[in-house]
């Protein structure tokens, strides 16, 4: 069974601090995606990483895919209150059905 | 506005009842997936429809069923509702057989079973 485990589950920080969220698995994934979800909304895709060792940057967000394609991380520099939300990593299931397997999510609260 | 519209936004049902949730996409994608998200958890895959046929199913009982229509809108039906069915139900388009591509999610239907 493919599982994705995220850590930490909850994070409460002050504006301006840096943070890293981790997404780990014992299974190899062909790609991993990161989503951000706000209360009352569906997840919104931030990035897809496909190649082992790949690093992608989206403004203050840096995403990395592990060399073995079993893990990924999201690093936020100088967090802002607008970064508050639920961050989800997700990867395609092994069967060819388009199924996405999600981690349990990391709830981030950035206090002004 | 993601282009994926779900209705209703909120719903309260009694245990044992049946419910139908709806999803439509402005882009007319031929693939639609449904997910269940319990409070504080990540979404769980229910099933996917491709060109009106079920294309894959997660670990959900048969009382969860779906339809996709020729205009690619979709319904999720749940029979014999249980308290544990209380969750946010999300519809997503895109992905298809290439799950490396991103999905576009609707805002969801919040179902409460009492």
């Amino acid at each position: 069974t493919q599982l994705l485990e995220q850590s930490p589950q909850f994070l409460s920080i002050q504006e301006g601090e840096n943070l890293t969220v981790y997404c780990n698995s014992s299974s190899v994934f062909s790609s991993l995606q990161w989503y951000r979800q706000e209360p009352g909304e569906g997840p919104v895709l931030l990035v897809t990483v496909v190649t082992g060792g790949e690093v992608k940057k989206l403004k203050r967000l840096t995403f990395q895919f592990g060399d073995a394609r079993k893990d990924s991380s999201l690093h936020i520099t100088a967090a802002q209150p607008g970064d508050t939300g639920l961050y989800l990593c997700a990867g395609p299931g092994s069967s060819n059905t388009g199924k996405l397997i999600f981690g349990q999510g990391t709830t981030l609260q950035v206090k002004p | 506005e993601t282009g994926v519209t779900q209705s209703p936004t909120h719903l309260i049902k009694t245990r044992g009842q049946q419910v139908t949730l709806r999803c439509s996409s402005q882009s007319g994608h031929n693939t639609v997936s449904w997910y269940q998200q319990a409070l504080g958890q990540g979404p769980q895959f229910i099933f996917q429809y491709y060109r009106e046929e079920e294309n894959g199913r997660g670990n959900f009982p048969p009382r969860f069923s779906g339809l996709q229509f020729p205009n690619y809108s979709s319904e999720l039906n749940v029979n014999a509702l249980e308290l544990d069915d209380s969750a946010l139900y999300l519809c997503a388009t895109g992905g298809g057989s290439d799950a490396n591509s991103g999905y576009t999610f609707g805002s969801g239907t919040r179902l409460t079973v009492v």
Side-chain angles (χ1 to χ4, degrees), chain A residues 6 8-13 19 21 34-43 46 74 76 79-88 104-111, chain B residues 37:
Chain A
Q6 288 186 236
Q9 284 191 283
F10 301 97
L11 201 50
S12 181
I13 61 172
L19 67 114
V21 176
W34 284 92
Y35 291 81
R36 178 168 166 262
Q37 185 177 20
E38 297 190 44
E41 300 293 328
L46 296 174
L74 158 60
I76 301 179
Q80 299 177 0
D83 296 327
T84 293
L86 177 67
Y87 289 83
L88 295 157
Q104 76 272 43
T106 294
T107 299
L108 171 64
Q109 181 186 42
V110 183
K111 301 175 186 175
Chain B
Q37 186 177 22

Side-chain angles (χ1 to χ4, degrees), chain A:
Chain A
T1 303
Q2 293 174 292
L3 291 174
L4 286 168
E5 295 189 3
Q6 288 186 236
S7 61
Q9 284 191 283
F10 301 97
L11 201 50
S12 181
I13 61 172
Q14 294 294 135
E15 182 176 1
E17 292 184 3
N18 301 331
L19 67 114
T20 301
V21 176
Y22 299 93
C23 175
N24 294 298
S25 178
S26 58
S27 304
V28 175
F29 282 86
S30 58
S31 66
L32 282 178
Q33 300 173 5
W34 284 92
Y35 291 81
R36 178 168 166 262
Q37 185 177 20
E38 297 190 44
E41 300 293 328
V44 175
L45 179 68
L46 296 174
V47 77
T48 301
V49 285
V50 179
T51 306
E54 182 177 5
V55 176
K56 281 191 174 178
K57 292 192 175 184
L58 188 66
K59 297 182 181 179
R60 294 175 294 99
L61 278 60
T62 302
F63 304 85
Q64 186 163 7
F65 200 11
D67 291 340
R69 291 186 286 127
K70 292 183 178 181
D71 57 270
S72 181
S73 64
L74 158 60
H75 182 79
I76 301 179
T77 304
Q80 299 177 0
D83 296 327
T84 293
L86 177 67
Y87 289 83
L88 295 157
C89 67
S94 53
S95 58
N96 190 29
T97 61
K99 168 185 176 179
L100 270 184
I101 296 167
F102 281 85
Q104 76 272 43
T106 294
T107 299
L108 171 64
Q109 181 186 42
V110 183
K111 301 175 186 175

Side-chain angles (χ1 to χ4, degrees), chain A residues 95-99, chain B residues 32-34 45-50 53-59:
Chain A
S95 58
N96 190 29
T97 61
K99 168 185 176 179
Chain B
V32 64
S33 304
W34 285 91
F45 177 73
I46 303 174
F47 43 57
Q48 183 183 78
Y49 277 79
Y50 174 69
E53 297 285 333
E54 186 178 292
N55 185 43
R57 189 177 186 92
N59 189 26

Side-chain angles (χ1 to χ4, degrees), chain B residues 9-12 14 22 24 44 48 54-56 65 84 93-94 96 102-103:
Chain B
T9 55
H10 296 84
L11 199 54
I12 299 175
T14 303
R22 295 179 173 84
S24 63
Q44 298 286 318
Q48 183 183 78
E54 186 178 292
N55 185 43
S65 63
D84 285 349
T93 62
Y103 285 73

Side-chain angles (χ1 to χ4, degrees), chain B residues 20-78:
Chain B
T20 298
L21 310 181
R22 295 179 173 84
C23 173
S24 63
S25 169
Q26 290 180 352
S27 63
H29 257 281
N30 56 17
T31 302
V32 64
S33 304
W34 285 91
Y35 288 79
Q36 180 195 66
Q37 186 177 22
L39 203 59
Q41 299 295 318
Q44 298 286 318
F45 177 73
I46 303 174
F47 43 57
Q48 183 183 78
Y49 277 79
Y50 174 69
R51 293 185 176 178
E52 303 175 52
E53 297 285 333
E54 186 178 292
N55 185 43
R57 189 177 186 92
N59 189 26
F60 281 82
R63 60 188 185 84
F64 285 78
S65 63
L67 283 173
Q68 187 182 28
F69 300 100
N71 66 355
Y72 302 130
S73 64
S74 178
E75 288 182 354
L76 165 65
N77 299 288
V78 187

